[in-house]
Amino acid sequence: MSALEIKKDIYWVGAVDWNVRDFHGYSTERGTSYNAYLIKDEKITLFDTVKKELKSDLVHNIYQVVDPTKIDYMVVNHVEMDHSGSLPEMIELIKPEKIFCSPMGKKVILDHFHNADWPLEVVSTGDSISLGKRTVQFLETKMLHWPDSMFSYIPEEKLLISSDAFGHHWATSERFDDEVDTHELMIHSSKYYANILMIFSPIVQKLLAQVKEMDLQIDMIAPDHGVIWRKSPETIINAYDRWSRQETIDKAVIIYDTMWHSTEKMAKAIESGLFQEGIHHIKMLHARKNHRSDIITEVLDAKAIILGSATLNNNIMPAMADVLTYMKGLRPKNKIGAAFGSFGWSGEAVKHLNQYMEDMGFDIIDDGIKIKNVPTHETLKHCVELGKSIAKAIKGK
Ligand code: FEO
């Protein structure tokens, strides 16, 4: 990739990671980018860096705009290694006059790099610095998604450099929202929200209210992953409002694992009941055939989550434990739940699935259905009826 001017004298100089397929347990099947931005003003300023392995891409892109040794300031909006892995080497190359970071950013930088002689300058919400013609205003965004995270806002340009917020994992040669397929863009953005930010939804709501109150004029949002929102920044702001309120639609997600297809037959019968009762937006997700990060993306806007597992060693199937541990951590809200599963002799799976749902605060609408060994057409009728009951609960909620 090449440096690209995104506004007059403001450049994208980041790196595109076409080949990354796993981001600490999140499947990035279409890669990602680590965006860094350079402003040429009286004080030349670099916002964020990139993953260590892609440092040469960053340096190459900066050289297309300016000799890196001419950079005066660096801004560290977030210290996670995808944005700061190359920070020590870039500081060594640039030798900046000042490095701006949040109060927690300073602590996290020291914890990560143990280098106390860097010229760190702490900035808090409301602080601003002048670059010459432009100003940078800082807004701490604690827990979005690390305690150190912050936004940099350039009012003269109506530009918000938003760190992880409003981003998505998607490697593209295009740099702007109007250059890519909108539907695909929103799929990647919702996956990012579901997997990275869902847990912090109440904080997102507060931040959106704060941004509204501050009346920030924004005509471009430049996140640290994915494409830049210039055509329609309000599209992603409105989506974050919906997602952080955990709005749901009339949709059911059946997540299951099966040993010898008995639990799968139950899943299909429940699906049939849902469909017969008018719920046609249903996702059937086998826990060993779908990645946990894709499953949680479907959970984000679903009104009903239906969990199925065969009993294995008095417990649930391991892939279900993986998905549910992950889901519980992300704290989905506003869900109806029900459980089902086949068993051979002890049959504890449904009890465990109900416990997960209780822990997550789901509205469990049925004690759940257990079927010994292989279901019959007769016993599957109970599953069809459960599907119908769930459909009625979805429509009534
Ligand atoms: Fe993209 Fe939290 O790092």
Side-chain angles (χ1 to χ4, degrees), residues 197-385:
L197 294 172
M198 189 199 294
I199 179 177
F200 303 117
S201 287
I203 299 173
V204 174
Q205 274 291 300
K206 279 188 196 149
L207 177 70
L208 292 176
Q210 190 180 3
V211 167
K212 200 170 176 182
E213 195 181 304
M214 292 167 77
D215 198 24
L216 296 187
Q217 300 301 303
I218 297 169
D219 75 5
M220 183 181 282
I221 297 177
D224 275 4
H225 296 290
V227 298
I228 296 162
W229 303 87
R230 73 172 172 191
K231 178 186 167 202
S232 180
E234 64 279 6
T235 296
I236 192 64
I237 291 173
N238 292 339
Y240 266 50
D241 187 32
R242 284 196 307 281
W243 295 331
S244 58
R245 279 190 273 114
Q246 299 218 28
E247 280 188 6
T248 58
I249 58 175
D250 287 359
K251 167 182 166 185
V253 175
I254 302 174
I255 306 164
Y256 69 97
D257 197 355
T258 188
M259 197 180 292
W260 293 106
H261 302 292
S262 290
T263 301
E264 188 163 63
K265 284 176 183 157
M266 297 174 74
K268 288 180 179 176
I270 292 168
E271 180 201 18
S272 175
L274 283 159
F275 194 87
Q276 287 172 33
E277 197 58 42
I279 298 301
H280 294 177
H281 196 166
I282 307 163
K283 297 287 178 180
M284 294 276 284
L285 300 173
H286 189 307
R288 272 182 288 146
K289 300 185 192 299
N290 293 275
H291 195 276
R292 71 178 80 83
S293 55
D294 293 317
I295 292 174
I296 203 70
T297 306
E298 293 295 345
V299 165
L300 178 63
D301 65 356
K303 204 171 278 182
I305 309 298
I306 307 149
L307 303 175
S309 179
T311 296
L312 176 67
N313 303 329
N314 309 113
N315 216 312
I316 56 175
M317 298 284 278
M320 286 301 292
D322 177 324
V323 170
L324 290 170
T325 302
Y326 190 63
M327 190 190 299
K328 191 172 155 184
L330 287 165
R331 299 185 200 164
K333 297 276 181 270
N334 307 329
K335 307 298 183 195
I336 294 163
F340 63 97
S342 75
F343 66 102
W345 53 94
S346 56
E348 292 91 345
V350 166
K351 178 186 75 179
H352 292 303
L353 295 175
N354 279 336
Q355 187 62 55
Y356 272 105
M357 290 191 288
E358 197 178 314
D359 292 347
M360 290 188 278
F362 287 14
D363 180 9
I364 302 171
I365 65 158
D366 190 278
D367 290 341
I369 298 180
K370 299 198 292 186
I371 291 180
K372 193 164 190 309
N373 294 124
V374 178
T376 64
H377 289 300
E378 209 50 46
T379 53
L380 282 178
K381 282 181 185 165
H382 298 302
C383 296
V384 174
E385 289 309 312

Side-chain angles (χ1 to χ4, degrees), residues 23 78 80 82-83 145-146 164 169 192 225:
F23 191 92
H78 179 31
E80 192 166 3
D82 49 333
H83 308 294
H145 67 114
W146 273 21
D164 278 325
H169 288 311
Y192 190 88
H225 296 290

Side-chain angles (χ1 to χ4, degrees), residues 72 139 182 206 233:
D72 300 287
L139 173 59
T182 304
K206 279 188 196 149

